[in-house]
């Protein structure tokens, strides 16, 4: 079963991760583009997952985390 995204509440900090990224940072544009592309793929993801069983990690979260790892593993 496909998991649904849920916003994690803050545990030890009063700031969200989005508050820590400056407004003009290039990652914000990349996030917007990735969100748009993954929203277009959402119906495909729905067809791939079964309607029964335990919920999985949403594929959008997995793909965006892989994208961040790729960006931060490139040396400047």
């Amino acid at each position: 079963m496909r998991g649904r995204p849920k916003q994690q509440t803050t545990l030890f900090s009063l700031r969200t991760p989005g508050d820590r990224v400056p407004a003009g940072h290039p990652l914000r544009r990349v996030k917007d583009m990735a969100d748009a592309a993954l929203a277009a793929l959402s119906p495909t993801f729905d067809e791939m997952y079964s309607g029964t069983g335990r919920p999985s990690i949403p594929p959008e979260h997995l793909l965006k985390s892989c994208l961040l790892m790729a960006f931060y593993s490139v040396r400047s």
Side-chain angles (χ1 to χ4, degrees):
M1 180 160 83
R2 182 175 174 204
R4 296 288 167 211
K6 55 184 170 181
Q7 188 68 18
Q8 182 177 348
T9 58
T10 56
L11 181 62
F12 296 112
S13 176
L14 297 176
R15 296 175 66 191
T16 64
D19 293 340
R20 298 180 187 275
V21 179
H25 198 280
L27 277 180
R28 289 198 179 267
R29 285 185 288 156
V30 171
K31 181 185 180 300
D32 292 339
M33 287 188 289
D35 286 341
L38 291 171
L41 288 172
S42 186
T44 305
F45 293 145
D46 283 335
E47 291 175 10
M48 292 171 60
Y49 283 81
S50 170
T52 60
R54 289 181 47 193
S56 67
I57 297 173
E60 293 88 347
H61 286 223
L62 295 173
L63 292 170
K64 284 181 7 180
S65 64
C66 288
L67 188 62
L68 274 177
M69 285 189 295
F71 282 139
Y72 280 105
S73 66
V74 175
R75 294 183 183 215
S76 58

